[in-house]
Amino acid sequence: MRSAKRWPMKRTGRRRGTLAATTVVLAALAVSTAVAHGDARQQLRDGEGPVWTGAWGTAVQRPVAGSEDWGPNWSRQGFADQSVRQVVRVAHGGSALRIRLSNAYGTTPLRITAATVGRSAGDAQVWPGTLRTVTFGGGRGATIAPGRDLVSDAEGLSTSPLEKLTVTLYFAGRTGPATFHRFTTAASYRASGRQLSNAGGDLFKASTNAWYFLSGVEVSGAVSPRRGTVVAFGDSLIDGTGATPGADNRFTDKLAERLASDRHPLDVVNAGIGGNRLLNDSPCYGDKATDRFRRDVLDRPGVRTVIIHLGANDIGAPKMADPCMGAAPHVTARQIIDAHKQLIRAAHARGVKAVGATILPMKGALFPVYSEQGEKVRTAVNHWIRTGGAYDAVLDVDHALADPAHPTLPRPGYVHKDGLHPNEAGFHAIASAVDLDAL
């Protein structure tokens, strides 16, 4: 076993047999049109293909009003006779793609009038000649029932590692409040009317840092035991709070870059939600992690590994006095550990490897989150993650970010101006601590 002092990410010695090395294509989410997702293990045995993996993704949330801290968004008002262009960066790429849309929190059917995908030329622009019409069951439009997701047909637009794409959705009628992801470090754009083929982007004059209805971009490639998706699941550290907008320097971005440069054929999906907790729901920060784990992690195609960073908000909530938190009870280390074990069991039941990420240093934050009692809980949880043997491997975020001279504090050069979240150097340090061969 590698020493945690020298190697912040270590394997625990737990083995998952051939499942840990084999791409797993999981059963699809319930969708409003039938979509077949083959099992990659069976495909490998039968020599079939291609395999679908999640090349980009986000966790969806209930509509919520904008705020000074999180910025404005269009989720409450939704859209009507408007086009929404969203820019995403795929991790590994593939020979074809499809998009995943979600009406998870809609109360009425969502009508997608039409959609296109293309290569991004920066901001809301699309490279000329790359726009492709997206179809659903052979048709240009589709309706998604409340609480359901929809996967498009495959589109023959090849993608390269770390390439940016635009996905443009047109809504002729009223959508009602939008299922969305509240905080992003990328811009989404809005234009009046049907602007699916507007490559110049000049009519997309309004923008917000949020994603709407779009929850995944999936790519296909040749069958290989090395292909698959790594999903990072957690809170604001995973979501990217502290990262520079538009710079693609979240932890998952840095991890995708490492994988691409090292020629590991693994995709990366970010399923973090800022403010998210293990044990309690929030009207602003998403369903509790144990409830959203299946949708946001296990029901994506090709998942082979999940990295989990959760517990900080459960510990800090009683100090925050944040009305968006809802219930904010004091929690024990045992409660957090038991919730982690629940996630691990769910992952292993699907043949997915689970990597535990220790909780980041919380002392020194410039807003109320730290307490001596909370620090005892954090220390106990981190000790269990490192030594308990329940996780298949450990990513020691705490070790990667901590000040060597003052271990309860973050290293000054690695922390955002809020005193808690990593900055670009901090996200780089976390990604550098990942043992790629353990994924």
Side-chain angles (χ1 to χ4, degrees), residues 282-294:
S282 162
C284 306
Y285 306 134
D287 297 345
K288 62 183 179 181
T290 51
D291 282 353
R292 71 183 185 90
F293 189 63
R294 177 178 176 179

Side-chain angles (χ1 to χ4, degrees), residues 13 42 102 154 177 189 320 325 356 360 374-375 387 397:
Q42 186 64 48
S102 178
Y189 303 88
M320 292 183 199
M325 277 292 178
L360 82 171
E375 180 63 15
T387 66
V397 168

Side-chain angles (χ1 to χ4, degrees), residues 152-243:
S152 75
D153 301 331
E155 171 54 51
L157 181 67
S158 63
T159 51
S160 300
L162 309 179
E163 182 175 15
K164 288 188 177 182
L165 304 174
T166 64
V167 178
T168 308
L169 307 174
Y170 173 58
F171 307 98
R174 293 192 175 278
T175 65
T179 295
F180 85 130
H181 183 81
R182 187 182 191 192
F183 167 77
T184 78
T185 57
S188 296
Y189 303 88
R190 185 183 65 188
S192 298
R194 187 182 181 121
Q195 306 299 338
L196 295 167
S197 60
N198 179 269
D202 53 301
L203 298 179
F204 289 86
K205 300 183 183 301
S207 66
T208 68
N209 290 328
W211 284 305
Y212 304 90
F213 300 117
L214 182 66
S215 63
V217 174
E218 300 163 5
V219 298
S220 68
V223 175
S224 165
R226 298 181 66 217
R227 276 192 70 87
T229 299
V230 178
V231 180
F233 181 71
D235 48 32
S236 55
L237 180 137
I238 299 297
D239 205 1
T241 300

Side-chain angles (χ1 to χ4, degrees), residues 275-277 280 285 311-323 325-331 362 368-371:
N276 197 230
R277 289 178 289 175
N280 287 278
Y285 306 134
N313 291 306
D314 297 85
I315 294 169
K319 293 285 292 182
M320 292 183 199
D322 182 350
M325 277 292 178
H330 289 276
V331 299
M362 297 172 66
V369 65
Y370 176 83
S371 68

Side-chain angles (χ1 to χ4, degrees), residues 315 331-333 336 372-382:
I315 294 169
V331 299
T332 65
I336 294 176
E372 290 187 5
Q373 178 58 34
E375 180 63 15
K376 292 177 182 178
V377 174
R378 186 185 79 95
T379 299
V381 172
N382 282 352

Side-chain angles (χ1 to χ4, degrees), residues 28-381:
L29 291 166
V31 296
S32 56
T33 60
V35 179
H37 284 214
D39 187 313
R41 289 168 291 182
Q42 186 64 48
Q43 289 175 324
L44 286 170
R45 288 192 291 269
D46 298 343
E48 298 176 359
V51 169
W52 287 95
T53 56
W56 173 89
T58 193
V60 294
Q61 303 170 246
R62 289 178 173 80
V64 64
S67 68
E68 183 178 349
D69 292 336
W70 297 88
N73 71 74
W74 306 316
S75 67
R76 287 277 182 89
Q77 67 196 76
F79 307 96
D81 189 25
Q82 291 172 317
S83 298
V84 181
R85 179 162 291 170
Q86 305 179 73
V87 182
V88 302
R89 188 174 80 157
V90 297
H92 181 66
S95 57
L97 63 83
R98 64 191 185 192
I99 64 172
R100 182 177 293 266
L101 304 175
S102 178
N103 193 25
Y105 297 107
T107 57
T108 59
L110 170 66
R111 175 66 181 171
I112 312 292
T113 308
T116 58
V117 63
R119 304 189 196 282
S120 171
D123 299 325
Q125 301 173 86
V126 183
W127 279 107
T130 68
L131 276 169
R132 302 286 189 276
T133 298
V134 176
T135 60
F136 305 90
R140 293 202 171 199
T143 299
I144 310 175
R148 300 295 184 92
D149 282 18
L150 174 69
V151 179
S152 75
D153 301 331
E155 171 54 51
L157 181 67
S158 63
T159 51
S160 300
L162 309 179
E163 182 175 15
K164 288 188 177 182
L165 304 174
T166 64
V167 178
T168 308
L169 307 174
Y170 173 58
F171 307 98
R174 293 192 175 278
T175 65
T179 295
F180 85 130
H181 183 81
R182 187 182 191 192
F183 167 77
T184 78
T185 57
S188 296
Y189 303 88
R190 185 183 65 188
S192 298
R194 187 182 181 121
Q195 306 299 338
L196 295 167
S197 60
N198 179 269
D202 53 301
L203 298 179
F204 289 86
K205 300 183 183 301
S207 66
T208 68
N209 290 328
W211 284 305
Y212 304 90
F213 300 117
L214 182 66
S215 63
V217 174
E218 300 163 5
V219 298
S220 68
V223 175
S224 165
R226 298 181 66 217
R227 276 192 70 87
T229 299
V230 178
V231 180
F233 181 71
D235 48 32
S236 55
L237 180 137
I238 299 297
D239 205 1
T241 300
T244 305
D248 298 311
N249 60 17
R250 301 173 301 170
F251 156 62
T252 47
D253 298 318
K254 298 295 185 182
L255 177 58
E257 290 165 7
R258 280 197 65 202
L259 289 165
S261 65
D262 206 43
R263 298 185 181 277
H264 279 258
L266 294 176
D267 281 298
V268 179
V269 163
N270 188 315
I273 297 179
N276 197 230
R277 289 178 289 175
L278 278 162
L279 302 171
N280 287 278
D281 298 331
S282 162
C284 306
Y285 306 134
D287 297 345
K288 62 183 179 181
T290 51
D291 282 353
R292 71 183 185 90
F293 189 63
R294 177 178 176 179
R295 179 192 66 208
D296 291 340
V297 178
L298 299 181
D299 283 347
R300 295 183 186 273
V303 178
R304 67 184 270 159
T305 305
V306 59
I307 301 172
I308 299 171
H309 180 274
L310 282 159
N313 291 306
D314 297 85
I315 294 169
K319 293 285 292 182
M320 292 183 199
D322 182 350
C324 263
M325 277 292 178
H330 289 276
V331 299
T332 65
R334 176 50 53 194
Q335 288 175 304
I336 294 176
I337 290 168
D338 286 346
H340 274 270
K341 288 180 177 178
Q342 183 178 339
L343 299 181
I344 295 167
R345 286 193 298 269
H348 287 169
R350 293 285 194 97
V352 174
K353 181 183 292 186
V355 175
T358 54
I359 301 172
L360 82 171
M362 297 172 66
K363 190 174 183 179
L366 301 183
F367 56 95
V369 65
Y370 176 83
S371 68
E372 290 187 5
Q373 178 58 34
E375 180 63 15
K376 292 177 182 178
V377 174
R378 186 185 79 95
T379 299
V381 172

